Amino acid sequence: MSLFDASSTAPQVVSFNSKDRISGSNSNFVSAPVDIGINKFNSVCLLCASIPKSYYNVPSGYNTFTLTEKNVDTTITIPVGSYNKINLASVLSTLLTNGSVALGNNWTYVITNPSPTQADTFKFTFTVSGNGLFQPTITMTSTSPFRQLGFEPSSSYPFVANVLTSANAINLAYILRIFIKSNICNDSNDGVLDEILSVGSFAPQSVLFYQQFNIDVNTRIFNSNLPNSWNFVLVDSYGQEIDLNGIPWAFTVVFYERNNTHEIHKNELLITNEQRLFQIEMTQRKLIESIKNKNKDNEPNVGTTEGQTLGSTTGDLEPIYPVKSNYVIPELVNNIDHLKDLSL
């Protein structure tokens, strides 16, 4: 059975490229108008996508957090770019130390990773010196690089005895899932056209390729209110837009009219089942009526006396070989007399 109904509307495959947009950026754009005619499309599905991994793991807009010393705050801004755990630790050490100088405290910060002779915990260790009895605090917001530094969003982390260790493992892969959102489909699924989970298997600055394997399950309801031009945006699992840094991405979708044959089969099965249940119910009713009528035929006449009825009933129950209720075994009447008869 085919997934689509081509009796009136044949499926239409359309390719998109963000460089052909009429507005927006490569990461968030409005497509050029597409001619899909007056077809009765009600379904749309992503067939494949090619996305460059040109985004930074510390992107613009998500690269600041707060350092607090002696109840005074300063904003720490990590330069936009892509980092590994070694150069990020070095940059953080410099930024925090400079932030303390800006606050007039001149405390010194050092961020380290576990040494090669230790097990790697995938966490940063923040150490401060020159602070006397005071303990600084680092605060992350929902737009801070909390994933990259191993913290939770909208949380504050005070130093204890001049040391602070990341609460979680640092995540310099940064993006583990990519969601393609669009108004090409109805927003019953938050406008998600599809989700890509294989992000981590592609190296930075490579091209992530996605191939659809289950059109039936991943089909979305086509939004017919916007017939020929749609918005497409790439976001991560936190809903943050992914900046491809000027490099376009491409993808292909299919429009089709979904085959409703399976619905017809389902309705047919429902009707057949209802008929079967009705027949069972009617058979049960006939059986009950038959038993009731038989009981009426076996009822005694009104003129029959009670004694006659009981006698008839007793006679009907008379056993073939009756046993008298007062029968006693003769040998047990007088056991001594019985022993006399024995030849002992």
Side-chain angles (χ1 to χ4, degrees), residues 13-315:
V13 177
V14 179
S15 295
F16 294 87
N17 196 308
S18 61
K19 68 179 179 62
D20 300 323
R21 62 188 181 273
I22 58 175
S23 64
S25 64
N26 278 296
S27 306
N28 187 348
F29 70 94
V30 176
S31 68
V34 175
D35 183 12
I36 58 174
I38 56 174
N39 296 304
K40 299 179 180 179
F41 296 133
N42 57 20
S43 302
V44 61
C45 183
L46 179 74
L47 293 181
C48 58
S50 181
I51 304 173
K53 292 192 68 173
S54 55
Y55 50 83
Y56 301 142
N57 58 8
V58 179
S60 176
Y62 305 98
N63 59 328
T64 62
F65 62 95
T66 301
L67 171 67
T68 303
E69 294 180 350
K70 297 180 180 180
N71 296 322
V72 181
D73 297 338
T74 185
T75 299
I76 304 299
T77 303
I78 303 175
V80 171
S82 200
Y83 295 84
N84 58 45
K85 67 178 184 178
I86 297 175
N87 59 12
L88 181 57
S90 176
V91 169
L92 283 171
S93 299
T94 301
L95 291 173
L96 289 170
T97 300
N98 291 342
S100 182
V101 171
L103 291 172
N105 297 321
N106 298 317
W107 299 351
T108 301
Y109 292 86
V110 176
I111 289 80
T112 58
N113 296 284
S115 68
T117 59
Q118 297 175 319
D120 196 344
T121 60
F122 309 115
K123 296 181 178 181
F124 282 147
T125 298
F126 298 72
T127 304
V128 61
S129 60
N131 54 315
L133 299 177
F134 297 99
Q135 297 296 318
T137 298
I138 288 177
T139 301
M140 297 286 164
T141 68
S142 59
T143 58
S144 295
F146 55 89
R147 284 175 279 178
Q148 298 89 323
L149 303 185
F151 296 111
E152 294 289 337
S154 305
S155 300
S156 295
Y157 298 89
F159 282 61
V160 177
N162 303 330
V163 175
L164 172 64
T165 302
S166 300
N168 309 316
I170 63 175
N171 176 19
L172 296 181
Y174 177 53
I175 296 174
L176 302 178
R177 303 158 66 193
I178 290 179
F179 293 87
I180 302 174
K181 288 191 173 185
S182 175
N183 56 5
I184 199 172
C185 53
N186 283 345
D187 60 358
S188 58
N189 197 29
D190 198 25
V192 175
L193 177 62
D194 215 322
E195 175 187 4
I196 300 175
L197 294 172
S198 58
V199 178
S201 60
F202 295 86
Q205 292 190 301
S206 65
V207 177
L208 186 158
F209 179 73
Y210 171 78
Q211 178 68 53
Q212 183 63 259
F213 290 103
N214 197 330
I215 294 178
D216 189 14
V217 173
N218 293 305
T219 289
R220 303 290 183 259
I221 299 174
F222 175 56
N223 182 8
S224 58
N225 295 324
L226 301 171
N228 63 356
S229 182
W230 307 275
N231 173 249
F232 297 93
V233 57
L234 298 175
V235 299
D236 61 17
S237 56
Y238 286 85
Q240 298 177 359
E241 184 178 325
I242 299 172
D243 186 1
L244 297 180
N245 293 305
I247 299 183
W249 65 291
F251 57 99
T252 301
V253 301
V254 58
F255 301 90
Y256 67 96
E257 183 180 3
R258 195 174 185 88
N259 195 337
N260 62 355
T261 304
H262 60 291
E263 295 292 336
I264 296 175
H265 289 170
K266 183 178 73 174
N267 293 333
E268 182 182 4
L269 288 174
L270 288 173
I271 294 173
T272 302
N273 188 55
E274 288 292 335
Q275 291 176 341
R276 183 180 65 84
L277 292 175
F278 179 74
Q279 290 175 353
I280 293 174
E281 183 180 357
M282 293 303 297
T283 302
Q284 289 176 341
R285 288 184 179 182
K286 289 180 179 179
L287 181 59
I288 293 173
E289 290 296 328
S290 175
I291 293 173
K292 286 182 178 180
N293 293 333
K294 186 175 181 180
N295 290 338
K296 287 181 180 180
D297 294 339
N298 292 335
E299 288 180 358
N301 294 328
V302 179
T304 305
T305 61
E306 183 179 356
Q308 290 174 334
T309 304
L310 292 174
S312 175
T313 304
T314 305

